[in-house]
Amino acid sequence: MKEEIRQNGTAVLWSEDGVSIPMIFNNLCGKNFSRQEYRDYVRNIAFGEMGFNAGEISLYRDGVLVKTGVIPQIL
């Protein structure tokens, strides 16, 4: 099973391990962090290392949309 996180219709991250992509999706949506940890994660990891931008993201499993979320603009 292939899982992807897409932004603007482009797959930014993908895996077939069944665990990492849903966890990263939740991280990107702020579900696994406190407020300051989330700001640091978005600024340094999501924007700085993964190549995401502020805006909507989508989680797909085998090409089927599972859920959507938003990465906020971090100042």
Side-chain angles (χ1 to χ4, degrees):
M1 161 179 29
K2 183 177 181 182
E3 294 175 309
E4 304 172 315
I5 299 173
R6 298 181 189 177
Q7 188 169 45
N8 300 320
T10 302
V12 179
L13 294 176
W14 58 90
S15 177
E16 295 182 356
D17 70 9
V19 177
S20 61
I21 296 302
M23 182 188 69
I24 293 169
F25 183 87
N26 286 335
N27 288 350
L28 292 168
C29 293
K31 296 190 190 299
N32 297 330
F33 295 108
S34 71
R35 177 174 268 172
Q36 184 59 46
E37 289 173 322
Y38 181 59
R39 282 194 296 257
D40 292 344
Y41 178 82
V42 168
R43 185 179 297 117
N44 298 316
I45 306 300
F47 294 167
E49 294 183 19
M50 292 181 179
F52 286 99
N53 298 301
E56 187 173 296
I57 58 172
S58 303
L59 175 64
Y60 283 80
R61 186 171 293 128
D62 288 333
V64 176
L65 178 63
V66 175
K67 58 183 166 179
T68 61
V70 175
I71 301 173
Q73 181 64 46
I74 301 293
L75 303 174

